[in-house]
Amino acid sequence: MSNSNNGATKEYDIYRDSLLRYLGYSNEVGEAFRPLIHRNFVNLSYGVAVSYVLADCYDKSSKVYEKTKDLKKTAIMTGDVFLWQMLASVIVPGFTINRITTLAIRFLRKKDLNKAIKKAIPTGLGLTSIPFIIKPIDHFIDYVMDNTYRKYF
């Protein structure tokens, strides 16, 4: 069940094609707010994102199992969804937003600005970058998955 553009008509996927997709980016919101909030809230945002990943795994895997009753196909689907979602929703975008905010903090460190502004600017940059990184990261992870995991399974 590849989400890449291989010429086939793509079925609507609530976890990847709706606003629910942004739940997978809750950890990026946490990363963006890292300069302003306690790290426990950042960690909680990762819990929300991983819950989204697990919900997508359950949804797709149960559909495959209901249709095929084949445990091997179900396990392959579970692996595919879990890897794709962890890479596309948690790991790569979390790292990206973390780097954006960290670089902004370093850049602003020596500037003569109010401390609150020095914390708010990295958060603003992190938050505003989220909508711009989603599609490129999703397409990149599709490419990676199509040329690794999906090639062998």
Side-chain angles (χ1 to χ4, degrees), residues 103-122:
L103 289 172
I105 288 167
R106 286 183 184 164
F107 177 77
L108 295 170
R109 186 173 288 144
K110 297 186 189 216
K111 303 296 179 195
D112 187 27
L113 295 170
N114 177 298
K115 190 175 180 179
I117 291 174
K118 284 184 177 183
K119 287 185 174 187
I121 289 174

Side-chain angles (χ1 to χ4, degrees), residues 2 6 89 106 138:
S2 172
N6 59 7
S89 299
R106 286 183 184 164
D138 285 359

Side-chain angles (χ1 to χ4, degrees), residues 13-29:
D13 182 348
I14 192 168
Y15 289 95
R16 297 186 192 179
D17 301 325
S18 75
L19 292 177
L20 190 60
R21 177 77 179 98
Y22 284 96
L23 271 181
Y25 276 74
S26 59
N27 63 305
E28 284 67 42
V29 173

